[in-house]
Amino acid sequence: MPYEFPKWPQYDDHERNGLLAVLESGEWWGGGLAGPVAKLERAFAEAHHVDHAVATTNGTHAIELALRALGIGPGDEVIIPAQTFIATATAVLCVGAIPVPVDVRLRDWCIDPDAIASAISPRTRAVIPVHFGGLIADMDSIISICANHGLHLIEDAAHAHGGERYGRRAGSFGQAAAFSFQNFKLMTAGEGGMLVSGDEALIERARRIANGGRTPGDSSYNHSILGSNFRLTNFQASILSAQLERLE
């Protein structure tokens, strides 16, 4: 008989009760330091062994947000794997930079460190390895290459929630990492994303960009930098908190 895949997405009363609680609270958007979005950010960061997280509208925006927070833009080159969803490349294009696709290794479908080294040019600013299908890329080699050439390292961990290599969680290797909560990911609210980082200054810039250029906690209309709206809602955060509880 053909294999029957389990029903997806998975949910139970944890999601149902969380949604009802947000509905009845009247606080549907994701602002504030104590609401569902903020609680999800803290819990997700802790689960992936990093200090900070910023919830986003989707995983594509999480990559774009990392690039913008790092100051990557027109004329810069970003090395990515050729085997990946198009969002890894389009996020680079959306900040005006140039994606440079290189080959992957057959044994894990993740970016080949030797191919990265061969593709570096004077215009290269960053590398985005993708943890393909939950398999963690050869981060030790990639970290060494980036350090030797002064390159930023952003993990595309859209497939790798809770993934681990040598005791380190996906998202804890680079300066930043992007996760997706799209409908077919290991954690899902239909859509959504998360940017994680151990760099507090990077996260501060990312929060301002994601919130229309406003400083977190500033209720005035003081937009100090060019930003956009990459915010997650409390409805999505309530679902994702329940998803996180069963991730292991």
Side-chain angles (χ1 to χ4, degrees), residues 153-183:
L153 176 55
I154 303 166
E155 299 169 66
D156 182 338
H159 296 183
H161 312 70
E164 193 169 287
R165 180 186 175 102
Y166 304 137
R168 293 185 65 176
R169 285 287 169 101
S172 67
F173 294 94
Q175 285 172 277
F179 291 83
S180 170
F181 302 128
Q182 187 269 344
N183 198 61

Side-chain angles (χ1 to χ4, degrees), residues 98-195:
I98 302 165
V100 178
V102 303
D103 211 350
V104 298
R105 303 189 301 189
L106 287 176
R107 66 174 179 266
D108 59 11
W109 297 102
C110 292
I111 194 167
D112 187 337
D114 291 337
I116 294 173
S118 297
I120 293 171
S121 80
R123 298 168 66 182
T124 306
R125 290 284 310 283
V127 177
I128 307 179
V130 175
H131 302 316
F132 195 83
L135 298 171
I136 308 302
D138 183 358
M139 296 307 295
D140 290 343
S141 298
I142 297 169
I143 288 169
S144 178
I145 292 168
C146 289
N148 290 338
H149 293 272
L151 304 177
H152 297 300
L153 176 55
I154 303 166
E155 299 169 66
D156 182 338
H159 296 183
H161 312 70
E164 193 169 287
R165 180 186 175 102
Y166 304 137
R168 293 185 65 176
R169 285 287 169 101
S172 67
F173 294 94
Q175 285 172 277
F179 291 83
S180 170
F181 302 128
Q182 187 269 344
N183 198 61
F184 303 110
K185 300 303 188 291
L186 294 172
M187 286 176 56
T188 180
E191 287 289 357
M194 191 74 74
L195 172 66

